[in-house]
Amino acid sequence: MMTMSSVAATCNIIIITDPTGEDPNGAAAGSMSFAENMFQSTFLMSKDNHFAVLSGGTGSSDVRLDSIVAAVANLENNASAASAASIASSYDGARLVVGGPFMGAAIGGSFDAYVITVNGNDSDITVTPYSSGVATLQPGQKGAIIHLRNTNGNPMYGTADYVRKETAMNIGKMIRDGYPATTILSEAMGEVARDSGEKYGGGGVNLVSGISTSDMFTPTEMNSTGYPMDEAYSKVCDDCGWGVGYPAAEAYDKCPVCGGDLKIVYAYEALGNAITVRPDSVSVSVYGSGKSGVASTTREIVQASVNKYGYDASSIAGSINKGINNGLLMGVDYVEPKDINVKQDSKAVGVYYTALPGDRSSPSWDLPVDENILNILGSIQTAVGIVLILLVIFRSRLLKSFQNR
């Protein structure tokens, strides 16, 4: 039997730059750790109620799950962020970071954190340390909470205290200077990853717009680490917006869509790009395939196609099919314009795939010969090949038998 080691997110950050909720990028949260299995301990987000619950601590995964469920139930009954976060103290070793643009934020349980507040009138920055109990960023207040500890075994163990303070101060400066929460979260996670080694995703969420990095950075296999937030994540074309992730990105020096130069994007930057709403942002939904990488690659291709050709279903379908031909997309069949649902007013595109049967990775060739005939020929070829192998194996015996006769 295979066992799964328990994990806790050692870095939890929540940032609120617009307590009114009017800025679509005005509140964000994220988490990461040096530990394995970061899909166990990342975040839970309510799109309808605009709050997140980030978990961590030294307790078991069952303990964290119980505390999260209790906190969510509390929040659904209109409890305050502080009340929901305080639930962590009832569970051994648990930590909860709770908050949203309208409710403020709070951290409870076992933690070492800073609460950052920025006064809207004179832009004064206050950075206050807290350890255990409950620490609160009041509703209506611009600010943030950052928790950071080092994981045992991290080669950079012992850096957390310094990095926690420095990152908190930099978060405060960026809030004061008017940066949106999603950008600040991205930069803060990059700083923590580089300077403390607590660098594996995890991920982030936009609490106003309800956008998440989902499984962009979480581990793909049990008992493995997530994606390092301080390492190169993808290459992106500045001209048309097309991009491709690593390791496939190593094969590209130029954009296959428009021939433009490619720029390296680091994981923490990709996090910011994924959860930040921009005028040219496109919301892409992918249906019909759960194969790894299909959704994220489709989003990149659709974004590039919309930037270059606009919200045209035929052009989007053509770009996707070109991606299938180039080997960027695997495990799905070609799409037609009818498979593309375009809603230009809401800047949304839905892509409906038909998954390929079995283990096939690419669609069948469009040949004038019927596919069944090719399968029959393949079977015949295989049979002939087996006969030839047998003849080679018994060649000496057959020759000797012939000579004896």
Side-chain angles (χ1 to χ4, degrees):
M1 293 180 63
M2 181 178 290
T3 60
M4 181 164 57
S5 58
S6 184
V7 66
T10 50
C11 175
N12 302 116
I13 304 174
I14 187 163
I15 301 168
I16 300 173
T17 55
D18 179 15
T20 69
E22 294 179 1
D23 181 355
N25 303 307
S31 63
M32 56 185 176
S33 175
F34 182 77
E36 300 173 340
N37 296 329
M38 272 302 292
F39 42 67
Q40 281 191 64
S41 185
T42 50
F43 42 74
L44 184 149
M45 176 178 64
S46 171
K47 293 185 178 181
D48 293 334
N49 296 322
H50 305 282
F51 68 74
V53 177
L54 287 71
S55 67
T58 58
S60 68
S61 56
D62 290 343
V63 167
R64 284 197 302 278
L65 179 60
D66 290 343
S67 67
I68 291 170
V69 170
V72 171
N74 220 356
L75 291 168
E76 292 290 347
N77 289 321
N78 298 318
S80 66
S83 176
S86 67
I87 290 173
S89 299
S90 302
Y91 295 86
D92 185 32
R95 174 175 63 259
L96 291 173
V97 182
V98 178
F102 308 111
M103 68 174 62
I107 182 170
S110 173
F111 64 86
D112 293 298
Y114 279 94
V115 176
I116 305 107
T117 58
V118 179
N119 189 308
N121 296 325
D122 51 21
S123 295
D124 281 348
I125 302 170
T126 303
V127 179
T128 308
Y130 290 91
S131 293
S132 301
V134 177
T136 304
L137 177 69
Q138 294 296 330
Q141 174 71 60
K142 287 185 179 181
I145 295 176
I146 176 173
H147 162 84
L148 177 63
R149 287 176 178 166
N150 281 129
T151 305
N152 289 331
N154 181 349
M156 300 179 74
Y157 192 92
T159 58
D161 289 346
Y162 174 79
V163 175
R164 186 191 317 122
K165 182 177 181 180
E166 289 297 307
T167 306
M169 294 172 63
N170 289 332
I171 288 172
K173 292 174 183 177
M174 294 187 74
I175 295 174
R176 177 199 63 192
D177 294 342
Y179 288 92
T182 52
T183 299
I184 299 173
L185 177 69
S186 166
E187 292 298 318
M189 292 182 75
E191 182 176 352
V192 169
R194 289 189 301 269
D195 298 344
S196 77
E198 301 297 319
K199 61 183 180 179
Y200 299 119
V205 292
N206 180 327
L207 296 174
V208 180
S209 302
I211 303 172
S212 167
T213 57
S214 187
D215 61 354
M216 281 178 65
F217 309 108
T218 55
T220 56
E221 297 180 359
M222 193 168 64
N223 293 333
S224 62
T225 54
Y227 203 93
M229 301 303 293
D230 59 344
E231 291 188 9
Y233 184 79
S234 63
K235 288 182 179 179
V236 175
C237 175
D238 282 334
D239 294 335
C240 73
W242 178 87
V244 60
Y246 280 86
E250 295 173 354
Y252 293 89
D253 294 321
K254 294 286 185 180
C255 174
V257 175
C258 71
D261 292 330
L262 297 176
K263 176 183 71 175
I264 293 177
V265 176
Y266 286 85
Y268 70 91
E269 296 174 318
L271 180 147
N273 294 336
I275 64 174
T276 299
V277 176
R278 296 183 175 87
D280 61 348
S281 295
V282 182
S283 175
V284 182
S285 300
V286 178
Y287 307 94
S289 175
K291 289 186 178 293
S292 177
V294 169
S296 58
T297 303
T298 300
R299 291 187 186 101
E300 296 286 358
I301 291 174
V302 171
Q303 177 78 60
S305 180
V306 170
N307 288 345
K308 189 171 184 180
Y309 305 112
Y311 287 87
D312 180 76
S314 296
S315 298
I316 293 172
S319 297
I320 289 173
N321 291 337
K322 186 175 181 180
I324 293 173
N325 289 334
N326 290 341
L328 298 176
L329 283 166
M330 303 181 72
V332 292
D333 209 343
Y334 293 117
V335 296
E336 300 178 20
K338 65 180 179 63
D339 301 318
I340 311 298
N341 184 16
V342 174
K343 296 182 178 180
Q344 185 169 352
D345 292 341
S346 56
K347 297 183 178 179
V349 175
V351 179
Y352 296 81
Y353 283 118
T354 300
L356 293 174
D359 296 327
R360 179 179 288 174
S361 59
S362 60
S364 305
W365 291 349
D366 185 14
L367 298 174
V369 180
D370 186 86
E371 183 179 354
N372 292 327
I373 296 177
L374 291 178
N375 290 335
I376 293 170
L377 290 174
S379 299
I380 294 173
Q381 181 64 42
T382 301
V384 171
I386 292 172
V387 171
L388 291 176
I389 291 172
L390 291 172
L391 288 174
V392 169
I393 292 174
F394 296 103
R395 179 172 179 269
S396 59
R397 184 178 300 176
L398 290 170
L399 286 174
K400 184 176 182 180
S401 175
F402 177 77
Q403 289 170 353
N404 289 337
R405 290 186 181 183

